[in-house]
């Protein structure tokens, strides 16, 4: 393990700045270790991506580089921040914020199912994080409980979305190149942008529906034990099962959010923006708690808006209710 000779395999620049200790997580792409910044004793997480772990060199490099590009571009209170980045011939080392509460996956598992108010607080923060990604033309594409981290072991805590290596940055340049070619064979949606920003983003809305389902009920909506159809068939048909004993204490409004996200037709599926406007989330107490977790310095921390006597546009008011700035 790392405590023995492996330390020598670490980049010296990384070793000069951090002490790596025990493993705090493992993923398909490698492992995550607890680290201490030597100069400040600050605790951090170092994600070690072994380039060889990917099926083909091309995918490895592309995925990891995409992840790193994206990690360095994004800045939102509910998205994991990259502190530093190193690489050797066979591995990437990404220094990330430490989330002491670990993965949402383990929290839901240990509590059977989350209290509805807690699930709403976490889901609202996920929506804000994914809305930010979508506004920046980024599709996460791999939202699941393992990729949602909790800042503490308290129920009321900040959550952060991580693991962007399945993400895709919608390259407007790629679309421009397409449009420069012969248009006669292009489908209408290529011109209407549905193929880059409309359709693609909806995959994250579906995953958020599955995440909310799991938080509220403690089990997955699509599972081979629920039907003679395969899980893939159940998903394609949108055939999810709400076991009464698990959903009895869940409000109809919460169930309505799940039902409007787990819609097979992406053009009919509720979007992240629409979900943020759903009645279930117009809960001032939850919004206040979320805002204080996301922006702990409060209003005065934000750059003062330019003084203007113009009334605030209605859309501006709507935005502030979504925690967006
Ligand atoms: C990244 C990161 N920052 N803080 C924690 N707990 C992580 C983990 C990701 C995956 C397992 S642990």
């Amino acid at each position: 393990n790392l405590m023995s000779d492996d330390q020598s395999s670490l980049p010296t620049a990384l070793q000069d700045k951090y002490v790596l200790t025990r493993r705090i997580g493992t993923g398909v792409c490698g492992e995550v270790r607890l680290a201490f910044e030597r100069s400040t004793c600050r605790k951090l997480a170092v994600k070690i991506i072994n380039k060889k772990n990917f099926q083909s060199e091309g995918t490895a490099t592309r995925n990891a580089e995409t992840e790193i590009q994206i990690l360095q571009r994004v800045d939102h209170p509910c998205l994991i921040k990259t502190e530093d980045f190193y690489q050797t011939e066979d591995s990437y080392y990404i220094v990330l914020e430490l989330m002491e509460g670990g993965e949402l996956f383990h929290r839901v598992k240990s509590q059977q199912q989350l209290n509805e108010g807690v699930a709403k607080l976490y889901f609202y923060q996920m929506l804000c994080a994914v809305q930010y990604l979508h506004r920046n033309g980024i599709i996460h594409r791999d939202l699941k409980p393992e990729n949602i981290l909790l800042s503490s072991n308290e129920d009321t805590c900040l959550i952060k979305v991580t693991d962007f290596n399945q993400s895709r940055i919608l390259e407007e340049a790629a679309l421009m190149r397409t449009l420069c070619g012969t248009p006669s064979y292009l489908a209408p949606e290529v011109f209407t942008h549905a193929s880059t920003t409309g359709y693609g983003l909806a995959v994250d809305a579906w995953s958020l529906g599955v995440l909310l389902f799991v938080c509220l009920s403690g089990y997955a909506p699509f599972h081979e034990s629920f039907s003679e159809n395969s899980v893939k068939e159940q998903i394609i048909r949108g055939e999810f099962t709400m076991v009464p004993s698990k959903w009895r204490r869940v409000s109809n409004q919460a169930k309505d959010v799940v039902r409007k996200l787990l819609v097979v037709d992406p053009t009919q599926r509720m979007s992240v923006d629409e979900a943020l406007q759903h009645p279930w989330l117009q809960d001032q107490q939850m919004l206040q708690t979320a805002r204080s977790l996301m922006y702990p310095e409060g209003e005065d921390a934000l750059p003062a808006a330019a003084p203007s006597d113009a009334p605030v546009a209605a859309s501006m008011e709507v935005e502030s209710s979504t925690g967006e700035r």
Side-chain angles (χ1 to χ4, degrees), residues 24-26 32 45 47 80 96-100 102-103 146 149 162:
I24 53 175
T26 49
V32 181
K47 182 172 176 183
I80 204 87
L96 299 158
E97 297 176 76
L98 179 69
M99 297 292 277
E100 308 258 7
E103 298 172 14
E146 298 87 322
L149 302 176
T162 186

Short mmCIF file of all heavy atoms in Angstrom, two decimals, residues 24-26 32 45 47 80 96-100 102-103 146 149 162, ligand 1:
data_model
loop_
_atom_site.label_atom_id
_atom_site.label_comp_id
_atom_site.label_asym_id
_atom_site.label_seq_id
_atom_site.Cartn_x
_atom_site.Cartn_y
_atom_site.Cartn_z
N ILE A 24 -9.55 6.41 1.22
CA ILE A 24 -10.89 6.75 1.72
C ILE A 24 -11.96 6.41 0.68
O ILE A 24 -13.14 6.60 0.91
CB ILE A 24 -11.01 8.24 2.10
CG1 ILE A 24 -10.58 9.15 0.94
CG2 ILE A 24 -10.22 8.54 3.35
CD1 ILE A 24 -10.79 10.63 1.22
N GLY A 25 -11.51 5.91 -0.46
CA GLY A 25 -12.51 5.54 -1.46
C GLY A 25 -11.85 4.85 -2.64
O GLY A 25 -10.66 5.03 -2.87
N THR A 26 -12.63 4.04 -3.30
CA THR A 26 -12.11 3.41 -4.52
C THR A 26 -13.16 3.58 -5.61
O THR A 26 -14.35 3.65 -5.34
CB THR A 26 -11.91 1.88 -4.30
OG1 THR A 26 -13.11 1.38 -3.72
CG2 THR A 26 -10.75 1.61 -3.36
N VAL A 32 -9.00 6.94 -3.97
CA VAL A 32 -8.95 8.28 -3.38
C VAL A 32 -8.30 8.13 -2.00
O VAL A 32 -8.66 7.22 -1.24
CB VAL A 32 -10.37 8.89 -3.20
CG1 VAL A 32 -10.27 10.28 -2.61
CG2 VAL A 32 -11.10 8.93 -4.55
N ALA A 45 -8.33 15.49 -0.36
CA ALA A 45 -8.49 14.15 -0.95
C ALA A 45 -7.66 14.12 -2.22
O ALA A 45 -7.70 15.08 -2.99
CB ALA A 45 -9.96 13.89 -1.27
N LYS A 47 -7.18 12.03 -5.63
CA LYS A 47 -7.75 10.98 -6.48
C LYS A 47 -6.63 10.53 -7.42
O LYS A 47 -6.02 11.35 -8.10
CB LYS A 47 -8.93 11.55 -7.27
CG LYS A 47 -9.63 10.55 -8.15
CD LYS A 47 -10.89 11.16 -8.72
CE LYS A 47 -11.56 10.20 -9.69
NZ LYS A 47 -12.76 10.81 -10.30
N ILE A 80 -17.37 19.77 -6.70
CA ILE A 80 -16.09 19.54 -6.03
C ILE A 80 -15.00 20.39 -6.69
O ILE A 80 -15.00 20.54 -7.92
CB ILE A 80 -15.73 18.03 -6.07
CG1 ILE A 80 -14.78 17.67 -4.92
CG2 ILE A 80 -15.13 17.60 -7.36
CD1 ILE A 80 -15.44 17.31 -3.64
N LEU A 96 -8.21 17.20 -4.48
CA LEU A 96 -9.59 17.72 -4.40
C LEU A 96 -9.93 18.09 -2.97
O LEU A 96 -9.29 17.63 -2.02
CB LEU A 96 -10.56 16.63 -4.88
CG LEU A 96 -10.37 16.16 -6.33
CD1 LEU A 96 -10.97 14.77 -6.50
CD2 LEU A 96 -11.00 17.14 -7.29
N GLU A 97 -11.00 18.89 -2.84
CA GLU A 97 -11.51 19.19 -1.49
C GLU A 97 -11.87 17.89 -0.78
O GLU A 97 -12.32 16.93 -1.43
CB GLU A 97 -12.84 19.95 -1.60
CG GLU A 97 -12.81 21.28 -2.25
CD GLU A 97 -14.22 21.83 -2.35
OE1 GLU A 97 -14.74 22.28 -1.31
OE2 GLU A 97 -14.78 21.79 -3.45
N LEU A 98 -11.69 17.87 0.54
CA LEU A 98 -12.10 16.70 1.31
C LEU A 98 -13.54 16.88 1.78
O LEU A 98 -13.88 17.94 2.32
CB LEU A 98 -11.20 16.49 2.53
CG LEU A 98 -11.60 15.29 3.41
CD1 LEU A 98 -11.31 13.97 2.67
CD2 LEU A 98 -10.90 15.32 4.75
N MET A 99 -14.36 15.89 1.55
CA MET A 99 -15.76 15.91 2.01
C MET A 99 -15.87 14.86 3.13
O MET A 99 -15.89 13.67 2.87
CB MET A 99 -16.71 15.60 0.86
CG MET A 99 -16.65 16.64 -0.25
SD MET A 99 -17.29 18.22 0.28
CE MET A 99 -19.03 17.92 0.04
N GLU A 100 -15.91 15.35 4.37
CA GLU A 100 -15.81 14.46 5.55
C GLU A 100 -16.99 13.51 5.68
O GLU A 100 -16.90 12.48 6.33
CB GLU A 100 -15.74 15.32 6.83
CG GLU A 100 -14.68 16.40 6.79
CD GLU A 100 -13.43 16.02 7.58
OE1 GLU A 100 -13.37 14.87 8.03
OE2 GLU A 100 -12.54 16.87 7.73
N GLY A 102 -18.24 11.78 3.25
CA GLY A 102 -18.13 10.65 2.31
C GLY A 102 -19.24 10.66 1.28
O GLY A 102 -19.85 11.68 0.99
N GLU A 103 -19.51 9.47 0.72
CA GLU A 103 -20.46 9.35 -0.40
C GLU A 103 -21.90 9.26 0.09
O GLU A 103 -22.19 8.60 1.09
CB GLU A 103 -20.12 8.09 -1.21
CG GLU A 103 -18.74 8.12 -1.84
CD GLU A 103 -18.38 6.78 -2.48
OE1 GLU A 103 -19.28 5.93 -2.65
OE2 GLU A 103 -17.21 6.58 -2.81
N GLU A 146 -22.76 7.44 -5.68
CA GLU A 146 -21.31 7.41 -5.41
C GLU A 146 -20.63 8.72 -5.80
O GLU A 146 -19.54 9.03 -5.34
CB GLU A 146 -20.64 6.28 -6.19
CG GLU A 146 -21.12 4.87 -5.85
CD GLU A 146 -22.35 4.45 -6.64
OE1 GLU A 146 -23.24 5.28 -6.89
OE2 GLU A 146 -22.43 3.28 -7.01
N LEU A 149 -21.05 13.76 -2.85
CA LEU A 149 -20.30 13.70 -1.59
C LEU A 149 -20.93 14.64 -0.56
O LEU A 149 -21.50 15.67 -0.93
CB LEU A 149 -18.85 14.12 -1.84
CG LEU A 149 -18.10 13.27 -2.86
CD1 LEU A 149 -16.71 13.83 -3.11
CD2 LEU A 149 -18.02 11.81 -2.42
N THR A 162 -19.30 15.16 -7.90
CA THR A 162 -17.93 14.88 -8.35
C THR A 162 -17.94 13.89 -9.51
O THR A 162 -19.00 13.56 -10.02
CB THR A 162 -17.08 14.35 -7.18
OG1 THR A 162 -15.73 14.23 -7.60
CG2 THR A 162 -17.59 13.01 -6.68
C1 LIG B 1 -12.97 13.37 -3.83
C2 LIG B 1 -13.35 13.27 -2.39
N1 LIG B 1 -13.27 14.32 -1.54
N2 LIG B 1 -13.69 13.90 -0.31
C3 LIG B 1 -14.04 12.60 -0.39
N3 LIG B 1 -14.53 11.85 0.63
C4 LIG B 1 -13.83 12.16 -1.70
C5 LIG B 1 -14.10 10.84 -2.23
C6 LIG B 1 -14.50 10.50 -3.48
C7 LIG B 1 -14.71 9.11 -3.64
C8 LIG B 1 -14.49 8.39 -2.52
S1 LIG B 1 -14.02 9.43 -1.26
#
